[in-house]
Amino acid sequence: MQYPLTPDVKPEFCTTGTFMRLPSNRENAKLAIVGLPFDTAASFRVGARFAPQAIRQASMTLFPYHPIHKVYPFDACNAIDIGDVSVIPHNIHRSYEVMEKAVMELMEKGIIPIGLGGDHSVTLANLRAAAKIHGPVALIHFDSHTDTWDTYYEEKYWHGSPFIRAYEENLLIPDKVFQVGIRGTLNHPGDIDSSSDLGYHVITTPELKERGFENVVREMQEKIGDTPCFLSFDIDFVDPSCAPGTGTLEVGGLNSFETLQIIRSLTDFNFIGFDLVEVLPPYDPTQITSLLAATIIHDFASLVALKIK
Amino acid sequence: MQYPLTPDVKPEFCTTGTFMRLPSNRENAKLAIVGLPFDTAASFRVGARFAPQAIRQASMTLFPYHPIHKVYPFDACNAIDIGDVSVIPHNIHRSYEVMEKAVMELMEKGIIPIGLGGDHSVTLANLRAAAKIHGPVALIHFDSHTDTWDTYYEEKYWHGSPFIRAYEENLLIPDKVFQVGIRGTLNHPGDIDSSSDLGYHVITTPELKERGFENVVREMQEKIGDTPCFLSFDIDFVDPSCAPGTGTLEVGGLNSFETLQIIRSLTDFNFIGFDLVEVLPPYDPTQITSLLAATIIHDFASLVALKIK
Amino acid sequence: MQYPLTPDVKPEFCTTGTFMRLPSNRENAKLAIVGLPFDTAASFRVGARFAPQAIRQASMTLFPYHPIHKVYPFDACNAIDIGDVSVIPHNIHRSYEVMEKAVMELMEKGIIPIGLGGDHSVTLANLRAAAKIHGPVALIHFDSHTDTWDTYYEEKYWHGSPFIRAYEENLLIPDKVFQVGIRGTLNHPGDIDSSSDLGYHVITTPELKERGFENVVREMQEKIGDTPCFLSFDIDFVDPSCAPGTGTLEVGGLNSFETLQIIRSLTDFNFIGFDLVEVLPPYDPTQITSLLAATIIHDFASLVALKIK
Amino acid sequence: MQYPLTPDVKPEFCTTGTFMRLPSNRENAKLAIVGLPFDTAASFRVGARFAPQAIRQASMTLFPYHPIHKVYPFDACNAIDIGDVSVIPHNIHRSYEVMEKAVMELMEKGIIPIGLGGDHSVTLANLRAAAKIHGPVALIHFDSHTDTWDTYYEEKYWHGSPFIRAYEENLLIPDKVFQVGIRGTLNHPGDIDSSSDLGYHVITTPELKERGFENVVREMQEKIGDTPCFLSFDIDFVDPSCAPGTGTLEVGGLNSFETLQIIRSLTDFNFIGFDLVEVLPPYDPTQITSLLAATIIHDFASLVALKIK
Amino acid sequence: MQYPLTPDVKPEFCTTGTFMRLPSNRENAKLAIVGLPFDTAASFRVGARFAPQAIRQASMTLFPYHPIHKVYPFDACNAIDIGDVSVIPHNIHRSYEVMEKAVMELMEKGIIPIGLGGDHSVTLANLRAAAKIHGPVALIHFDSHTDTWDTYYEEKYWHGSPFIRAYEENLLIPDKVFQVGIRGTLNHPGDIDSSSDLGYHVITTPELKERGFENVVREMQEKIGDTPCFLSFDIDFVDPSCAPGTGTLEVGGLNSFETLQIIRSLTDFNFIGFDLVEVLPPYDPTQITSLLAATIIHDFASLVALKIK
Amino acid sequence: MQYPLTPDVKPEFCTTGTFMRLPSNRENAKLAIVGLPFDTAASFRVGARFAPQAIRQASMTLFPYHPIHKVYPFDACNAIDIGDVSVIPHNIHRSYEVMEKAVMELMEKGIIPIGLGGDHSVTLANLRAAAKIHGPVALIHFDSHTDTWDTYYEEKYWHGSPFIRAYEENLLIPDKVFQVGIRGTLNHPGDIDSSSDLGYHVITTPELKERGFENVVREMQEKIGDTPCFLSFDIDFVDPSCAPGTGTLEVGGLNSFETLQIIRSLTDFNFIGFDLVEVLPPYDPTQITSLLAATIIHDFASLVALKIK
């Protein structure tokens, strides 16, 4: 049988519980969906633990072929969906262990993971796994926040700090880190400076529009080249009109057309992992946030497939 | 591994896509959940095609043990969830074929099906399968409507007619048919009389409360005895305050406490199949309808388990 | 053509804009639906101006025959729906004029009005019309509040005062006024005493349940007898679980089964008018409040039809 | 009386059940709104049967004058709203008959219909009527999908096939067919090629933005000229942020500003009919989809009025 | 202090609005509302951190006088609202410290606290404070779950364990502990037995209805007498139709009328503290859960005022 | 004062929570948030009385520093939040008095008010206060409607007339009035001409985009110069996808990115007051409208702070 199941085989409202009804296992897999439903490191709204299932449910309306990249990404990659990691809601360290282990097992087999958060704290687990396999990696980080705050009430591990912790743990190559889409009010000017101080490249939403997507992508390509690169996508990168179902909304973001446009131009990177975080289904009554997330994941898979093809 | 997975094994928000995370297959199964997402025979609101997945999702918060009946129903029955039948939204006859086939295959193996509708038209497929295996059966039918209207704009097969079609097809033993919870405005007095004319026993909601649950159940026991009996539960039996997510609501129904009370008293029947129909997730913003449905299914399973024990 | 249109004639999702698709005019009418969408006299939540259309829309699922009273009420009464009175949102006095005029025109023709509020201030217009035709009338008033507060920030005409204004204007026979279902916290004990001081009979929700519906109805019959009687129903009489879409909710009310039971026992009164007020569609996401309201109106019509039959 | 009723005559929250409170009949009508609430040919979400009433309700906030085109379209056309066709939910062929008949009766009288779907299958009825009157017609089709799939589980008539059926039935002039706004994942590359193979012009959303609206419209004008032309608008042409209430959403569409801009530039076509399909009120909690639909219909009417003026 | 308060000083979900607009401080206070918005110990749905502000907002519609108990509770007690404790979402132990401290400071001044959770884990902080002041206390615990599970993935402190931890820490007098309203499916029969094994009295919902409220309350009075008693109310005690906005719903509970009835009969206890937990505003679209919670708190205050009067 | 505040003292919809948790009073304040929850002058949807509390609640997620203007606006201005003015829902004239008084008291102390409506009628109170202090003022008015209609059913004071009343009362310098973002259908062409006839400058949404924000702002600067200027922002200026929660939506507006862009370019005006009106929380299920409003207010404050710095 060909995967993902198309509506020719089973009506799209007949669920099987996996992303686009992928199998949980198959030969020669190069790509895996994995749920990382940890969300208790969030500072404001909570509920991203339900994101993996909501995104999978929204994925039912997607079809296998990508018309821009002209690939069948899930087929080309023999993609699988290994389900959710059994995180422990109340314990970030034990959750990090199980998430890192699950992701590393995939990477060790040469399978590129697409992690479905969870809040943004889960990215640290992904980067830990990546660095163990690849050494420090490059990072393209779409978000409205830099997530390089240090502590939250003296807690070091929360959804506002993964990229300062990753720096401290030497998981990233700072000059190959791009934080794109940053906007919104700040505690202090230092909130952004702190990222720059680490050596990261911060590109705000207004800059992104002013400079043009092509120019920004070209700069990233020049800096990153073929270095193994992780892509972390916080759905609050997108404007609340297109993605209301998230935890710390910032108005004034790109819309979904622009978002797809920029992602679709990332064809020349050596991606070794992805995650998509901070979808909060309880705040997404029309499910457009989950659908956008599912569509972006289809695009991630296509970026991988293009390299295999 | 023991099934269903308990939260001890996997946090309950980690889905696997099946009812209470049951496996899709195991040895010596006596009970099976099967999705019957056909809904285009509805006359008013539509959307029951999404009920099987919504009920499965709601089932995540249920635990394996039934404290009143003192059984682990899904374990006792080696219960499985075989997923959704691939119905064809626009064609009731072809959908009937595939649903009947799926249900009959279960029954032939001695597996009692719990069908998740779909609109009420799906029950005809279940009764056809049941009659093929068991001959005409007894029926306990919880609903606010008798569903013995003849045609809808000259169409004979729709969600208002399964129990007149079942009569014509000789699938039921009329004197062993009980329609319980009937209420609401009518087209004509004949709407209820037509049921009585077929020989069915109609018990309205006010009668049910006036006579007392015990007396009604006793009458059903006396009439039905050990005859193979199907139980069809339309969620609009319950009051809209407890089950807003359905297609043709009737105010003035029983609440969920009373509903469970009466279901839990059905311990002395020889049930050979169940269905639960007319949950409409698009109209259930708080998901209480799906949760009630999932809980009732846990009770159905317990009624089966009691007999096995 | 017979009215209301049944689903045999037109599928129930095909609207015509009137209650149960009644005509706006016909011979020998004895009953009329009339929208009174005035709502700017409310002290808390607003939005009852949308109630008439929401209730009409909900009425689409009702059928013509009442199975308890065994009548076709809308047919028996040649019922019509004359649409909404053109109230002026910002001016209660001018709105009172047009509402009173519209209602009085009906009454003068011997047509019993069922007014769809609007907030509870509209009842004063109805009672003014009633008193002009019938002299001071009896009143059965279902509500969680007595609505006999005097002023609101010195404003005399608002949704908390219709029944003190009606007293002052001599529109009611105080000893034949029953306020049923009163409950909830108060500003002062005087909030209830003020009703009793006017000579009204106040029956709280706990009393209603303790004394039994039959006894309360019997007392009302003895007091009211054949006196022309108006029935005013504030949907917040019912518990928020059954009627969330209203302006000033009070938990701890009767459910919809009990509500219908008591209304259905009011067969021995000489009703000369009805209204149903305080449905707020913006707060009724599942539309169960509007459906309950529509069903109660079907019952009101049946009470009238029983007298005609 | 002038139509549509303005808020000067009746507050806009006082409904009459028709689009902008138009009359159901008047002399010399040139334009008619007609509801086509057939929706059981949909493959995923259902509920478009409630669209005609939701769009009419949303139309209450529109005013009669179009400020860009400088016309009173409904007045200029003596527009009417003839209500909903009594479709049969479960039978597409019988529904096609009654829809085609209703639309053809309008066209025979020289009245241009604006059909309110229903799912996209209803367009076949409209095109059949159009071709009977005008012979094969030109088509401007706004949508995210080409709807030229052949069968759905061997069913030929469903909401994904109207434009291949129309081709087979010789209702269209293929070289004068434009499908605009196509985007989203596909089953196969052939999904789009099949349209091109029929001779249709497919313009994807990215192309539309890249080439510029003016250029695309100019090309359509050159090809279509004065040929009688039908305009079919699937609301999923628009981005989900602006139109969440639809059945098969595709992220990455135009926003409502751009949508109006392109519609407003279609001043030089000989339109002989319109429809607007796939609004699903159960998925439109803020009603912005219905309002956008109503506004687009106001624009359609203005395009007609410009030709009459 | 610098303004506006930044999240460094107070988490952004800590509101400054007060319950019924009480002052934050006044002379001779005997009662205090205190927000305890800790919610990351929940095993399923999350979001109770927003409960204190939602309940305060719902309290706006309450009036000062309690008509059954005939007291002005907040006035009689000089009640205050001291706002929310600055909990740390990700750290239960540090959160326990600050919550315990805040509650103990009140108790030391002779002020009875009414804590607004948060999830049920917060009760342990309240009981620790209570035991420090009063020694081991009696407990009346309304809930659908006993919350005496031991660990959750080896974590000892979570919202399912406060009453086993309280036992171990010797904060309660086991024979004076009543758990009322228990129902729903279980992991193991031991889930309930474990409570009984500790010496607690478990009264299920069916028992509660069968035995009658009066008898159950009488039994509690006889056992508890004048012992200082804490009352912990989990909103999931109530049926989901009345309280949909909670985390782990169990159908088949009491309704709001019955709930108030039983609370109002608790006039003869020596209450030294209260909490109300597990309201989840993101799942409460009509706000009826928050309103029920606010009303229950008004009742709690009245029980205190009755003793003062 | 007696506690809790009863509705006699303050309407129950007047919150005591503050914007970004500002204090209600401090030394040397230059800026004040003030709630103006009057909403009964609205012609269609109602509910703006709940806007001040919803916007304050949404403001919780904002941080103190503005990254574009590089200021801490609330600190720079010693900003305060004085709560809601106790308007009288049913009486616009008495409400005007109390609102004007509250705003004027601020202005007299040199405090710039940011008023949170309420419907657009409240602006007249603000302009009356402004003119008393500053004489006739300039006005920048963002809106989709000109709000220069004369009467509504002969009522002169409603939310569609503040800017014609302001003209008649000589509160504005007509040549220094800019109405920006106007769009949507009209009653008559005169609806827009009437504004021009008063000497106001009307810039429609399409013009705004065509001419470019910079050019429009430059024109306003040239005309207005240093004249004391009031800024009135109706949230329906923004497209419904970004601001669904308002009363009279017009599709085809700017998105939130563009909206912030234009507001952020207003650095060279002498603003003496602001208001933001027509947010309707009951129609804002995802709260993105309130968040946008709160963000715009942060921007308003920053414009003031830039002048102080």
Side-chain angles (χ1 to χ4, degrees), chain E residues 3 10-11 20-21 53 57, chain F residues 4 10-11 21 53 57 75:
Chain E
Y3 287 102
K10 211 168 180 68
M20 288 184 75
R21 303 187 290 199
Q53 64 180 256
Q57 211 165 16
Chain F
K10 210 170 181 67
R21 302 186 292 199
Q53 63 180 255
Q57 211 165 16
D75 225 37

Side-chain angles (χ1 to χ4, degrees), chain D residues 124 127-128 136-137 139 147-148 161-175 177 179 194-200:
Chain D
L124 188 59
L127 293 176
R128 283 175 178 173
V137 295
L139 175 74
D147 291 358
T148 49
S161 70
F163 300 109
I164 187 163
R165 291 296 90 79
Y167 175 90
E168 294 166 353
E169 298 183 15
N170 200 28
L171 311 176
L172 297 170
I173 305 167
D175 190 39
V177 172
Q179 302 192 299
S194 65
S195 267
S196 312
D197 292 349
L198 301 177
Y200 296 175

Side-chain angles (χ1 to χ4, degrees), chain C residues 10-11 13 53 57 84 86-87, chain D residues 10-11 53 57 84 86-87:
Chain C
K10 210 169 180 68
F13 52 80
Q53 63 179 255
Q57 211 165 17
D84 289 352
S86 288
V87 299
Chain D
K10 208 169 182 66
Q53 63 180 256
Q57 212 166 18
D84 289 351
S86 289
V87 298

Side-chain angles (χ1 to χ4, degrees), chain B residues 141-146 178-186 189 191-193 195-196 200-213 216 219 237 251-254 262, chain C residues 67-68 70 257 264:
Chain B
H141 169 209
F142 293 97
D143 203 332
S144 64
H145 313 93
T146 61
F178 285 81
Q179 302 192 299
V180 182
I182 309 307
R183 67 184 184 279
T185 55
L186 302 174
D191 290 353
I192 279 189
D193 298 347
S195 267
S196 312
Y200 297 174
H201 305 274
V202 176
I203 295 160
T204 66
T205 296
E207 279 177 72
L208 184 57
K209 293 199 74 153
E210 209 174 285
R211 291 178 53 187
F213 299 168
V216 170
E219 185 195 336
F237 168 82
V251 301
L254 298 194
I262 190 166
Chain C
I68 308 290
K70 301 192 187 308
F257 181 86
R264 285 170 183 173

